[in-house]
Amino acid sequence: MRLLSNALRRGVLLAVCLASPHLAANVVIANTRVVFPADQPEVTVKLSNVGGTPSLVQAWIDDGSPQSQKQDLHIPFNVMPAMFRLDAGKGQSLRLFHAGDAMPTDRESLYWLNVLEVPPKESGNALQLSLRSRIKLLYRPAGLQGQARDAYQKISWQWLREGRQWLLVAENASPYVVNLANLTVLQEGQAEMALEPSHVLPFASTRFRLEGMANPAKAQLQYAFIDDHGAVREAPPLTKVRVAD
């Protein structure tokens, strides 16, 4: 009975923790994204511990595979310090260095900065939860054409039929990564369809699947993008989107 009681207690505690709004990370990143200009030797990212207890922090960069083991990653960036203790109410600057590997010079490259927070171990049966924050790292070569803030204007949209399902395709003709904050399809007589926001890589396309779309010919599109400073900016609504042949 004691084993069962402990198991139930842990199960209830887990459910409460997962549902609790107090599971917000104590260690917060000052940025919502990091832009690394290729002509700079390093960039810094400020972390702060806004909680009441110290945390062990580990930082690393991945290439878009969040489940990959850190030791298996081959990333052209280094982070210092990679592991450290951050006391309550204190801050720490991460220094990001490019390792010197050859990088594309005609477009941005997208990586991800990870910050893992491990709180101090508590006694008894309390759960110890590690929290990871993850933000985009954009490596930006010098001399790219245009401005990052205008890159959304280089996105072309079209409807594409694949079997019985319609896809919305966004194609990016700019050298910048376009980060979408929201994406909504409006069609007369139907409920709004909010699609999962994503990003569109330079000179590449991203596909969005739509469920229950009968005929998109008269559908309208509304979307917003995120600029270098993390601000959400609305793009002009698209009243007509091309249907691919």
Side-chain angles (χ1 to χ4, degrees):
M1 289 295 293
R2 184 176 181 181
L3 290 176
L4 179 60
S5 177
N6 288 339
L8 288 174
R9 188 183 301 115
R10 288 193 294 270
V12 171
L13 180 58
L14 176 60
V16 171
C17 287
L18 291 178
S20 172
H22 300 295
L23 270 185
N26 287 333
V27 177
V28 297
I29 309 173
N31 313 55
T32 60
R33 64 208 62 249
V34 181
V35 177
F36 196 131
D39 55 1
Q40 293 186 14
E42 66 178 83
V43 297
T44 59
V45 179
K46 181 67 180 296
L47 306 183
S48 299
N49 186 344
V50 298
T53 57
S55 289
L56 179 65
V57 178
Q58 185 179 16
W60 72 96
I61 295 170
D62 72 59
D63 60 359
S65 306
Q67 305 305 323
S68 297
Q69 296 297 315
K70 184 175 180 294
Q71 62 271 16
D72 297 332
L73 294 171
H74 301 284
I75 303 299
F77 296 94
N78 296 315
V79 182
M80 293 181 61
M83 184 176 291
F84 54 92
R85 172 188 167 116
L86 188 55
D87 290 329
K90 300 295 184 179
Q92 172 70 49
S93 290
L94 296 178
R95 301 174 64 195
L96 278 58
F97 301 90
H98 182 241
D101 301 43
M103 303 282 286
T105 59
D106 65 338
R107 70 193 69 190
E108 287 184 331
S109 298
L110 176 61
Y111 293 87
W112 298 81
L113 172 63
N114 298 267
V115 175
L116 179 68
E117 170 193 349
V118 182
K121 186 175 182 180
E122 298 182 7
S123 59
N125 293 322
L127 286 176
Q128 183 185 19
L129 299 177
S130 299
L131 299 176
R132 180 171 68 169
S133 300
R134 194 165 178 262
I135 64 173
K136 289 184 175 72
L137 168 62
L138 302 169
Y139 184 78
R140 180 171 296 170
L144 294 182
Q145 293 186 352
Q147 300 292 327
R149 64 176 179 270
D150 300 323
Y152 77 96
Q153 299 175 3
K154 296 292 186 179
I155 296 285
S156 61
W157 302 85
Q158 68 173 351
W159 298 108
L160 177 66
R161 192 176 184 96
E162 190 174 82
R164 297 184 177 182
Q165 190 174 43
W166 284 99
L167 305 177
L168 178 62
V169 182
E171 187 164 351
N172 184 3
S174 84
Y176 299 94
V177 178
V178 176
N179 296 291
L180 300 177
N182 57 65
L183 181 59
T184 305
V185 177
L186 306 174
Q187 193 169 26
E188 186 176 352
Q190 294 187 12
E192 293 184 359
M193 299 179 66
L195 305 182
E196 188 70 26
S198 183
H199 58 268
V200 191
L201 294 175
F203 309 123
S205 61
T206 298
R207 295 184 171 196
F208 303 87
R209 295 188 176 275
L210 292 94
E211 300 292 341
M213 174 68 74
N215 184 357
K218 296 183 178 180
Q220 298 184 22
L221 186 65
Q222 293 181 346
Y223 71 99
F225 64 96
I226 306 172
D227 66 16
D228 282 353
H229 307 289
V232 176
R233 302 189 178 278
E234 294 287 339
L238 296 175
T239 58
K240 186 173 180 60
V241 178
R242 186 173 72 89
V243 179
D245 297 330

